[in-house]
Amino acid sequence: EMINLFVGQDPREAVGLSVFAHSVWSRASQPVSITPISGRTDGTNAFTLARFLVPHHMNYQGWAIWADGSDMLCLADIAELWALRDNFKAVQVVKHDYKTRFPVKYLGQPNLDYPRKNWSSLMLINCGHFAWRQITPESMAEMSGSVMHRFEFMKDEHIGELPKEWNHIVDEPNQSATAKIAHFSIGLPVWYPDCSFAKEWHQERASMLYYQQWSQPTEDGK
């Protein structure tokens, strides 16, 4: 079974997206199709609102995962997350409840607190659920970012919950003791070298860049 994974693409964090994709593929026990997307934004990255069009891109059929991706590191088999699908829910998220320790994040951007902050950064999406039918490129043009990120367009009963370790916000309070996806929400370890999981991120980057050494044979075949 193919796992459909959509990820955010931001040119300022291009290396982060490559590292995340490698971290997913290197641990996955099932085939994973990764689709980078970007688009309409009113926030701090190039894919702030594009994520909510994943059901539209899927023709309102089947399931998909959304992950911010560019500032994440997968430390477990993504098939474990895929197995948590609940057909009675429109979306499943880690329901974070915290106040940030960092009022400023990467590139000097403000890091504001708001209700349901970071819920939408990792979503297990039931694209065929009727709650998504109202979300189209045209309808989204009339909606604010706050309405979208707080899921005010659907009933609370349609929002399921995921274990905290699937969206561990690095170095923020009230997080899981372990991480299956580490989320560097204030910025990648290239900007914050002393943050938690920095060592694991750099190890993954080195693994991604690995290639087997080989020398071209000479004319005599040696």
Side-chain angles (χ1 to χ4, degrees), residues 9-220:
Q9 183 177 31
D10 190 319
R12 299 169 300 177
E13 299 176 288
V15 66
L17 180 55
S18 296
V19 171
F20 177 69
H22 185 271
S23 72
V24 171
W25 281 322
S26 65
R27 294 168 175 82
S29 61
Q30 294 178 216
V32 183
S33 172
I34 298 182
T35 304
I37 61 174
S38 60
R40 179 188 165 197
T41 178
D42 62 359
T44 58
N45 56 51
F47 49 81
T48 303
L49 296 178
R51 70 193 71 201
F52 296 105
L53 287 176
V54 167
H56 171 77
H57 295 315
M58 291 284 293
N59 294 315
Y60 304 100
Q61 298 177 22
W63 282 81
I65 298 171
W66 165 268
D68 279 10
S70 293
D71 60 356
M72 289 177 165
L73 179 67
C74 185
L75 298 167
D77 184 353
I78 199 75
E80 296 176 18
L81 175 60
W82 191 246
L84 298 177
R85 290 165 292 166
D86 182 347
N87 288 318
F88 293 100
K89 303 297 182 182
V91 65
Q92 294 162 254
V93 301
V94 175
K95 296 184 177 181
H96 294 289
D97 182 14
Y98 73 100
K99 300 292 184 182
T100 182
R101 295 174 53 226
F102 307 96
V104 177
K105 61 180 182 178
Y106 68 97
L107 303 180
Q109 300 173 102
N111 187 28
L112 304 176
D113 287 316
Y114 55 86
R116 299 181 173 182
K117 182 178 177 69
N118 266 314
W119 283 26
S120 63
S121 58
L122 189 286
M123 299 185 286
L124 187 54
I125 305 172
N126 184 357
C127 300
H129 195 283
F130 66 87
W132 288 107
R133 292 281 176 164
Q134 62 185 307
I135 306 302
T136 65
E138 294 74 23
S139 69
M140 274 188 56
E142 306 298 324
M143 296 185 186
S144 68
S146 61
V147 166
M148 301 303 296
H149 287 288
R150 297 172 191 178
F151 296 95
E152 293 177 359
F153 58 91
M154 67 172 61
K155 295 180 179 179
D156 286 355
E157 64 195 63
H158 295 151
I159 307 172
E161 190 162 5
L162 293 172
K164 281 186 175 182
E165 59 262 30
W166 283 110
N167 192 1
H168 177 102
I169 311 298
V170 172
D171 292 336
E172 293 282 30
N174 197 24
Q175 301 298 312
S176 170
T178 59
K180 292 188 175 180
I181 290 181
H183 183 183
F184 303 95
S185 65
I186 63 165
L188 290 171
V190 294
W191 295 309
Y192 297 89
D194 297 325
C195 70
S196 300
F197 298 97
K199 178 181 178 181
E200 290 84 349
W201 188 88
H202 283 289
Q203 288 175 337
E204 193 71 37
R205 180 177 180 272
S207 177
M208 179 191 72
L209 294 173
Y210 170 79
Y211 65 95
Q212 184 172 344
Q213 296 288 343
W214 178 75
S215 298
Q216 184 174 348
T218 60
E219 290 185 2
D220 60 5

